[in-house]
Amino acid sequence: MCGVFGIRSPDRDVARIAYFGLFALQHRGQESAGIAVSDRGRITALREMGLVAQVFSEEKLRGLRGELAIGHTRYSTTGSTHWANAQPIVHNGRARTVALGHNGNLTNAAELREELAERGVRVHSTSDSEMIAALIAHDDAPLEEAVARTIAKLDGAFSCVALAENRLIAFRDPRGMRPLCLGRIGDDWVAASETCALDLVGADFVREVNRGEAVLIDGDGVTSLQAAPADGGGALCIFEFFYLARPDSRLAGVEVHSARVRMGERLAEESPVEADLVLPIPDSGTPAAIGFSRATGIPFSEGLIKNRYVGRTFIQPEQGLREQGIRLKFNPLAEVAGQRVVVIDDSIVHGNTTRQIVRMLFDAGASEVHVRISSPPVIGPCFYGIDLADEDELVAARRSIEAVRSYIGASSLHYLSLEGLTEATRRPESELCRACLTRDYPTRVPVEAAKLRFEPV
Ligand code: SF4
């Protein structure tokens, strides 16, 4: 879960535009943020732990001058939470200096690390992203060839933006597992994880970066390379559709909000219930709750109010307050008292949050709490950039649906079928990764898949 952004513009304040691009991508990672600029080939980067608005000030942005900029918001998958793993990563290599922002996760990082070590190349961070930068930076071939050769060596999920030799590079893995699109502001080019970032900076959507394609942008225009053959129909992450992407983004031509409303409508068809109110778990459950309410005629209610300012970096409360736990984030309205409520969320991963919300609604006087989930049970881990935790932490991995219902304490529980979810995305099954819902992985699964596999013991 990361967001990437890139821009080339000789006349605009590229760091400021990257800042706003990252602002639109904040939902993809709240752990760290960074921007790197290239000024006639000289790269300067600033990256810190925290939200985009916490990391950058006017003064810091003014210090980032150049014609090109890339930016990154991070949520860790491979590599732990500390500054060295914040991005963009800058790697000074034998052939060139490369700044890189990566969304995704490599499944052959251990092999790549060995290959780099054999060549005497040291990588300083524990994330797999620096290996991509290092492979390009130490390749003596011309930049296009170095990028193409690097892409051919990588396995797993990668949507990247990079700066090298005063060129902006955007590339995507052969399965297109994570989104990446191109846009234009006047004559200038922009790359971003999601179309919502293009909208915010006033760029028009041009197209998605193709699977296995590298796009190099400089003063002479755009060069496109099919660096690796596209793999079958692709494997765009279905989690992007129901959870990760912002609802105002378009993924593979599909508006995410509409897809989520369809998921809610289908959920209503598949698992109707007698109830008085439909409540979303905000904000992720909201579009599906709209769909559920429309399809059933049960009134939609805001029922649960979310505190939107609880970031990942907030100060941990003391024990007494921690027991209030979920109230840091949600508080129910009095109107739920005496009502039969249907709570809609996009997914259940660990089950703890859902369990606490169900308890909170009963405490607030709800007479029945029915839970409806707009995706199927999550039964396997993700190796491609979404931190779903290990299988033994996934509540549905080894439990029946009835056992999950009993664990969360709901009056009833239903999940959307895999078929219903897929149809709601309007993308064929052959173009999607659904592996955490089916355990049918599109790549070789890494042997040592633990998140912290490169951490010093
Ligand atoms: S395993 Fe799940 S979360 Fe990971 S890429 Fe596939 S669908 Fe997405």
Side-chain angles (χ1 to χ4, degrees):
M1 280 166 48
C2 293
V4 296
F5 186 88
I7 175 162
R8 180 191 179 276
S9 172
D11 311 314
R12 298 173 207 264
D13 183 347
V14 289
R16 183 171 295 264
I17 293 173
Y19 169 83
F20 285 109
L22 291 184
F23 215 75
L25 299 172
Q26 185 73 82
H27 62 290
R28 298 185 70 89
Q30 292 106 46
E31 198 170 280
S32 67
I35 293 175
V37 291
S38 172
D39 185 12
R40 284 160 288 171
R42 206 171 64 88
I43 290 175
T44 312
L46 194 153
R47 56 201 169 102
E48 292 287 352
M49 305 308 291
L51 300 171
V52 177
Q54 292 168 322
V55 169
F56 295 99
S57 60
E58 273 293 335
E59 200 187 340
K60 285 178 180 164
L61 282 179
R62 267 200 297 272
L64 292 168
R65 295 266 154 223
E67 312 88 81
L68 302 107
I70 58 169
H72 188 266
T73 57
R74 180 166 200 268
Y75 181 84
S76 69
T77 46
T78 300
S80 64
T81 307
H82 53 70
W83 182 85
N85 284 331
Q87 298 189 27
I89 290 274
V90 180
H91 192 95
N92 296 307
R94 202 176 49 230
R96 57 186 64 84
T97 297
V98 175
L100 182 130
H102 170 208
N103 173 209
N105 205 51
L106 301 181
T107 47
N108 64 339
E111 289 96 312
L112 295 173
R113 199 175 179 84
E114 252 168 54
E115 181 195 318
L116 286 164
E118 273 166 24
R119 287 162 53 188
V121 176
R122 280 194 56 204
V123 286
H124 306 284
S125 66
T126 55
S127 82
D128 51 358
S129 312
E130 191 181 356
M131 292 179 222
I132 309 176
L135 285 166
I136 300 171
H138 288 273
D139 191 322
D140 295 320
L143 183 59
E144 282 94 336
E145 215 179 307
V147 170
R149 285 214 296 227
T150 299
I151 292 174
K153 284 183 186 166
L154 309 178
D155 200 7
F158 53 94
S159 278
C160 297
V161 290
L163 299 175
E165 299 178 3
N166 223 29
R167 297 173 91 179
L168 170 65
I169 311 157
F171 56 95
R172 198 169 174 204
D173 66 73
R175 298 178 187 87
M177 300 190 82
R178 300 271 149 244
L180 189 62
C181 61
L182 295 173
R184 295 200 79 168
I185 318 178
D187 291 336
D188 301 328
W189 286 90
V190 174
S193 290
E194 289 184 35
T195 60
C196 65
L198 303 184
D199 297 339
L200 191 150
V201 302
D204 294 322
F205 172 79
V206 175
R207 66 175 176 89
E208 300 209 337
V209 175
N210 294 324
R211 291 178 284 116
E213 182 191 25
V215 177
L216 291 91
I217 299 164
D218 60 19
D220 296 328
V222 175
T223 309
S224 161
L225 306 171
Q226 190 63 42
D231 187 303
L236 177 58
C237 168
I238 204 163
F239 238 86
E240 297 272 355
F241 282 96
F242 64 80
Y243 167 72
L244 183 52
R246 236 171 72 158
D248 50 336
S249 286
R250 292 173 301 282
L251 281 179
V254 176
E255 196 206 47
V256 173
H257 175 82
S258 309
R260 290 181 187 165
V261 172
R262 288 193 292 274
M263 289 167 204
E265 289 168 347
R266 178 71 181 248
L267 189 56
E269 262 173 47
E270 291 184 5
S271 55
V273 59
E274 294 270 320
D276 306 306
L277 293 174
V278 174
L279 318 183
I281 302 219
D283 297 310
S284 52
T286 303
I290 292 170
F292 195 96
S293 167
R294 262 188 214 163
T296 55
I298 303 171
F300 175 93
S301 158
E302 263 196 285
L304 282 167
I305 302 302
K306 182 178 182 182
N307 182 337
R308 294 190 163 74
Y309 306 98
V310 184
R312 293 182 61 82
T313 49
F314 70 74
I315 295 163
Q316 292 295 326
E318 288 180 345
Q319 190 57 35
L321 199 51
R322 201 175 302 158
E323 277 158 15
Q324 291 285 82
I326 199 71
R327 292 210 184 230
L328 278 168
K329 266 186 134 177
F330 300 107
N331 206 17
L333 292 178
E335 70 173 20
V336 303
Q339 303 292 306
R340 298 168 299 170
V341 301
V342 194
V343 180
I344 313 281
D345 204 359
D346 57 84
S347 53
I348 302 181
V349 178
H350 303 102
N352 301 337
T353 307
T354 318
R355 180 185 159 121
Q356 290 179 64
I357 287 172
V358 168
R359 191 177 308 149
M360 188 172 70
L361 288 166
F362 276 126
D363 288 349
S367 58
E368 293 172 20
V369 179
H370 301 275
V371 176
R372 296 291 180 272
I373 302 296
S374 63
S375 64
V378 178
I379 54 171
C382 174
F383 303 108
Y384 314 116
I386 295 205
D387 192 12
L388 290 178
D390 294 333
E391 202 167 308
D392 44 8
E393 293 166 32
L394 298 170
V395 69
R398 296 194 190 104
R399 281 186 179 90
S400 65
I401 291 176
E402 171 51 25
V404 177
R405 183 208 63 74
S406 156
Y407 176 74
I408 63 173
S411 310
S412 72
L413 167 69
H414 281 278
Y415 290 89
L416 180 60
S417 66
L418 188 61
E419 191 194 11
L421 172 66
T422 308
E423 282 178 19
T425 68
R426 301 229 162 120
R427 304 309 307 166
E429 183 188 325
S430 57
E431 292 182 9
L432 297 166
C433 176
R434 310 182 300 175
C436 52
L437 312 173
T438 60
R439 295 200 183 105
D440 183 10
Y441 289 91
T443 69
R444 203 163 45 98
V445 168
V447 189
E448 0 99 71
K451 177 182 166 195
L452 303 180
R453 63 190 182 273
F454 300 130
E455 292 298 303
V457 183

